Amino acid sequence: MTVTETETTGASADSCAGPPQGDRRPDGEDRYTISEVVALTGLTAHTLRWYERIGLMPHIDRSHTGQRRYSNRDLDWLALVGKLRLTGMPVADMVRYAELVRSGDHTYTERFDLLQRTREDVLSRIAELQGTLAVLDRKISFYADAGRALASERTR
Amino acid sequence: MTVTETETTGASADSCAGPPQGDRRPDGEDRYTISEVVALTGLTAHTLRWYERIGLMPHIDRSHTGQRRYSNRDLDWLALVGKLRLTGMPVADMVRYAELVRSGDHTYTERFDLLQRTREDVLSRIAELQGTLAVLDRKISFYADAGRALASERTR
DNA sequence: CGCTTGCCTGGAGTGCACTCCAGCGTTCTA
DNA sequence: TAGAACGCTGGAGTGCACTCCAGGCAAGCG
């Protein structure tokens, strides 16, 4: 038994990286040009090619003339990458994760650990941001008070 | 009437950027060397000097031989900068804020707006991170399930 | 057929936020 | 009082994540 396909076919973990994010074609007709992927993801064509060069993407299918044709599965992967990027995860770490996925089943625990660590990072970053929010709120209310004081000053 | 001093003396908005963060000396004896500030803030001496060069710090007091001597107020400012940095605010924007503080009372509304915008940014970044967390949790439970499946496979 | 548009490649360039260096003066400790 | 440790400056270098460039192929259109 293997469960690798469920990871790489987009039928499971990788496919749940967000809402359908519209304008996809059904599987089977999913051969997007690079500019379509630009429109769907918000990344630039440069960045998409660069992701491929550094090993952050699997090898992308090509047309008979050598142009890239992205699949729905590639879009799923890009959606996950986008999410991981939001966490501040370095690109090198995402490449590492991509390598693990490529290497097959025996990397499951390693992937699990990496995700778990990332999860912890996200939690602590959220906590940091909430601390910052508290500071901002204090300063904002300070300025609001100061503004009122100056306003009442002017009307006196 | 002016309220600027309350902003710049550290008696108010700037001073509430966090807990006392220990080992400070009382006001009056607050002439920290750069290495003391390194220990207190976690920044490097290089970074502290660089912050000063780019206008992110007010002019720092000097000893008779030209060495920097930081005050408690400077530490307060650095604490705020640290918090703003956590939000992902670009250094250039923090420099802008520093300039506003230096320019005096008439920049109050501008500072207020800047802080408010930053607050909104922080809120949406928190939301983003929570979305990412949801994705991570789904993937993590996928791997946990897969791990269990593989384990029961081995014992069968 | 020529023209525009889209895509390809390897490699160089950019912007940000530091980070380090050389060369020198000052301060502390044994 | 010698040596280590600390600090100073201007300017160069680093690492990351893109971003752009030059030069060229291929497809679609009037």
Side-chain angles (χ1 to χ4, degrees):
Chain A
M1 168 230 182
T2 174
V3 279
T4 306
E5 298 94 272
T6 59
E7 172 71 5
T8 51
T9 54
S12 140
D14 281 345
S15 65
C16 58
Q21 96 239 71
D23 299 325
R24 287 226 189 158
R25 290 196 285 273
D27 289 3
E29 293 139 61
D30 52 340
R31 292 176 59 76
Y32 308 91
T33 65
I34 200 165
S35 60
E36 285 171 324
V37 178
V38 164
L40 287 167
T41 63
L43 297 168
T44 71
H46 295 302
T47 302
L48 286 167
R49 287 191 278 254
W50 178 67
Y51 277 2
E52 204 178 325
R53 259 211 307 262
I54 64 175
L56 184 52
M57 294 292 295
H59 277 303
I60 300 299
D61 209 21
R62 298 295 178 116
S63 73
H64 67 106
T65 53
Q67 297 189 192
R68 286 171 183 79
R69 292 295 178 258
Y70 291 82
S71 67
N72 281 331
R73 200 187 308 172
D74 297 327
L75 293 182
D76 289 336
W77 177 256
L78 282 170
L80 174 65
V81 165
K83 287 291 182 188
L84 292 180
R85 216 169 33 125
L86 287 178
T87 70
M89 182 189 275
V91 167
D93 289 6
M94 292 191 268
V95 171
R96 173 86 189 120
Y97 183 74
E99 281 164 0
L100 292 177
V101 171
R102 279 198 292 279
S103 315
D105 278 11
H106 65 282
T107 64
Y108 263 55
T109 48
E110 219 171 324
R111 291 185 230 171
F112 181 80
D113 293 348
L114 197 152
L115 292 174
Q116 203 97 52
R117 275 197 303 278
T118 305
R119 191 192 127 91
E120 295 307 312
D121 290 351
V122 172
L123 284 176
S124 58
R125 167 148 290 122
I126 288 174
E128 272 177 1
L129 286 176
Q130 270 155 357
T132 306
L133 202 58
V135 172
L136 282 174
D137 284 345
R138 272 201 293 278
K139 287 194 73 73
I140 285 170
S141 73
F142 165 79
Y143 278 114
D145 291 353
R148 266 196 296 284
L150 288 170
S152 71
E153 183 78 0
R154 271 195 297 281
T155 59
R156 216 181 303 146
Chain B
M1 170 234 182
T2 175
V3 279
T4 305
E5 299 93 272
T6 58
E7 172 71 5
T8 51
T9 53
S12 143
D14 282 344
S15 65
C16 57
Q21 97 239 74
D23 299 325
R24 287 223 191 162
R25 291 195 284 273
D27 288 4
E29 292 138 61
D30 52 341
R31 293 176 58 76
Y32 307 90
T33 66
I34 200 164
S35 60
E36 285 171 325
V37 177
V38 165
L40 288 166
T41 63
L43 297 167
T44 70
H46 295 302
T47 302
L48 287 166
R49 288 189 279 254
W50 178 67
Y51 277 1
E52 203 178 325
R53 264 212 304 261
I54 64 175
L56 184 52
M57 293 293 294
H59 277 302
I60 301 298
D61 208 22
R62 299 295 179 115
S63 73
H64 68 107
T65 54
Q67 297 191 189
R68 287 171 181 78
R69 292 295 178 256
Y70 291 82
S71 68
N72 282 330
R73 199 186 308 171
D74 297 326
L75 292 182
D76 289 337
W77 177 255
L78 283 170
L80 174 66
V81 165
K83 288 290 181 187
L84 292 180
R85 215 169 35 124
L86 287 179
T87 70
M89 181 189 274
V91 168
D93 289 8
M94 291 192 269
V95 170
R96 172 87 189 118
Y97 183 75
E99 281 164 0
L100 292 176
V101 171
R102 278 199 292 279
S103 314
D105 279 10
H106 64 283
T107 65
Y108 263 54
T109 48
E110 219 172 323
R111 291 186 231 171
F112 181 80
D113 293 349
L114 197 152
L115 292 175
Q116 203 98 50
R117 275 197 303 279
T118 305
R119 192 192 126 90
E120 295 307 312
D121 290 350
V122 172
L123 285 175
S124 56
R125 166 147 293 122
I126 288 174
E128 273 177 0
L129 286 177
Q130 269 155 358
T132 306
L133 202 58
V135 173
L136 283 174
D137 284 344
R138 272 200 294 278
K139 287 193 75 70
I140 285 170
S141 73
F142 164 80
Y143 278 114
D145 291 353
R148 266 195 296 283
L150 288 170
S152 71
E153 182 78 1
R154 272 194 297 279
T155 59
R156 217 183 303 146

